[in-house]
Amino acid sequence: QVQLQESGPGLVKPSQTLSLTCTVSGGSISSGGYYWSWIRQHPGKGLEWIGYIYYSGSTYYNPSLKSRVTISVDTSKNQFSLKLSSVTAADTAVYYCARQSQGSGIHMGWFDPWGQGTLVTVSS
Amino acid sequence: SYELTQPPSVSVSPGQTARITCSGDALPKQYAYWYQQKPGQAPVLVIYKDSERPSGIPERFSGSSSGTTVTLTISGVQAEDEADYYCQSADSSGTFVVFGGGTKLTVL
């Protein structure tokens, strides 16, 4: 079955860019039919959707983060990546990657499966 | 911005039925999805499209929808069901994904 694994630095300095990669195994990103998403969870808090990418490279971001977010895909490595610029302490969170089903019409799909998550701390 | 509202906590005794609600103005137009998250673990999908159950999820988990409220029902609650539960949906035009604030289910 499809599995996802996040990787990247666990500590980022304020004002710098957070960079994470999600490696997909057990299935091909290029096969289509799904979006590939990033979601974060602030410590002790709820979930916040960051955005998704399709294997073709088309992206869609949470409007509240859009100005700082870039999601890219490398189909040759079966990976997709997140960059979040100008980070502050408020960006400290566990970052998850997940496969998102394609909704129909106005429906956004669901997330399954998820990676195990990686904690990123923003601190000098 | 659009929000989904969940009760912060629900408590039930083993064997009883737990009901966790999620309210939002767009829910009559949008599907809802439910996730279970245990401490230190990633969320797991337990209900999709309001009431569909993924393979591998016990039959005691069910979902329903009525107007602006969707409900996750866990029948015959077991100790292992103690977790945080999150609903997920979208705004009325499908512009962005939104999660509820989460409900901590305590099995007494």
Side-chain angles (χ1 to χ4, degrees), chain A residues 41 60 106-109 111, chain B residues 29-30 33 35 37 88 95:
Chain A
Q41 186 170 33
Y60 197 79
I106 63 170
H107 296 287
M108 287 278 197
F111 301 99
Chain B
K29 299 179 61 177
Q30 290 287 357
Y33 315 101
Y35 302 89
Q37 186 179 34
Q88 175 230 322
T95 302

Side-chain angles (χ1 to χ4, degrees), chain A residues 11-57:
Chain A
L11 181 65
V12 181
K13 289 182 166 51
S15 80
Q16 293 190 341
T17 296
L18 177 160
S19 296
L20 295 173
T21 295
C22 181
T23 301
V24 179
S25 59
S28 174
I29 287 178
S30 299
S31 62
Y34 295 97
Y35 299 129
W36 302 92
S37 292
W38 288 96
I39 299 151
R40 69 180 182 179
Q41 186 170 33
H42 295 102
K45 302 294 185 182
L47 299 161
E48 180 180 31
W49 173 70
I50 299 171
Y52 69 65
I53 191 165
Y54 193 54
Y55 79 96
S56 62

Side-chain angles (χ1 to χ4, degrees), chain A residues 50 59-70 84-85:
Chain A
I50 299 171
T59 55
Y60 197 79
Y61 303 137
N62 185 328
S64 69
L65 296 168
K66 185 176 181 179
S67 63
R68 298 194 293 130
V69 172
T70 302
L84 182 65
S85 63

